[in-house]
Amino acid sequence: MSSRTRARGVKSAAGVHTIRVPRQRGRRAEPFVVVIPERPTLTREAVGFVGRMLWRFRGALAPTFLALLAWPLAAILHALAWWSALALAPVAVAPVLWFGFVQLRRPARTAAVVWRAGLGLLATAAGAWLAFAAGFGPLAGPLPLLWLLAWSIAQTVWLIVRRAH
């Protein structure tokens, strides 16, 4: 190792390489030390692996991310403003109105109507869950079970639709 990059008089932990970058000529700034760990811990490797997998499949896991975001949002709304459930109640009705409007404007048969109705029903269930969870809390009564059911259906349908296209 060159004498310019070897640290002199600097103590470091075992298994850590330190590289001292020498001061540039004409500058009065202090030199800085770069510390590079030799091996990451097993926990760091596991967290990195999980993070890379979540990032890689982020498109396929979109309903899961939305469902996990809805839970703390409902808890915060319940804690800060329980009356927000009254404002969210019309949001639960919007998908039904959308289904009726689309069916009147562009009538469809069989498969398209089933997909539209299913999407409207799932969105209505999600909106109703959010309204009820904001009003009564996300852990009240059957709300956790409804959340789990809506999440699993949405994730399954999402994966089927993504594979078909």
Side-chain angles (χ1 to χ4, degrees):
M1 181 181 277
S2 169
S3 64
R4 295 190 65 179
T5 58
R6 184 175 49 233
R8 294 175 192 257
V10 177
K11 300 288 185 186
S12 60
V16 174
H17 299 292
T18 57
I19 301 171
R20 184 177 180 275
V21 179
R23 187 176 5 182
Q24 299 296 316
R25 295 186 193 271
R27 288 194 170 179
R28 301 250 182 233
E30 289 293 318
F32 57 92
V33 177
V34 179
V35 179
I36 304 168
E38 187 173 327
R39 279 182 261 152
T41 64
L42 187 59
T43 304
R44 166 109 170 58
E45 286 286 330
V47 168
F49 175 76
V50 169
R52 284 189 299 274
M53 288 299 109
L54 287 174
W55 182 255
R56 182 175 175 195
F57 297 110
R58 66 188 180 274
L61 295 173
T64 298
F65 294 141
L66 287 174
L68 291 176
L69 182 69
W71 194 277
L73 174 69
I76 290 170
L77 284 174
H78 174 67
L80 295 178
W82 63 266
W83 49 265
S84 62
L86 302 174
L88 289 171
V91 174
V93 179
V96 174
L97 297 175
W98 168 84
F99 175 68
F101 180 74
V102 168
Q103 198 59 25
L104 285 176
R105 298 280 294 179
R106 297 185 179 206
R109 291 199 172 104
T110 61
V113 172
V114 170
W115 276 106
R116 288 178 186 173
L119 181 63
L121 181 66
L122 188 61
T124 299
W129 180 88
L130 187 59
F132 280 123
F136 300 111
L139 295 175
L143 289 179
L145 182 62
L146 292 175
W147 177 85
L148 185 65
L149 187 64
W151 164 72
S152 62
I153 291 171
Q155 184 65 53
T156 303
V157 169
W158 182 260
L159 291 174
I160 290 169
V161 169
R162 281 180 52 91
R163 182 164 301 265
H165 288 88

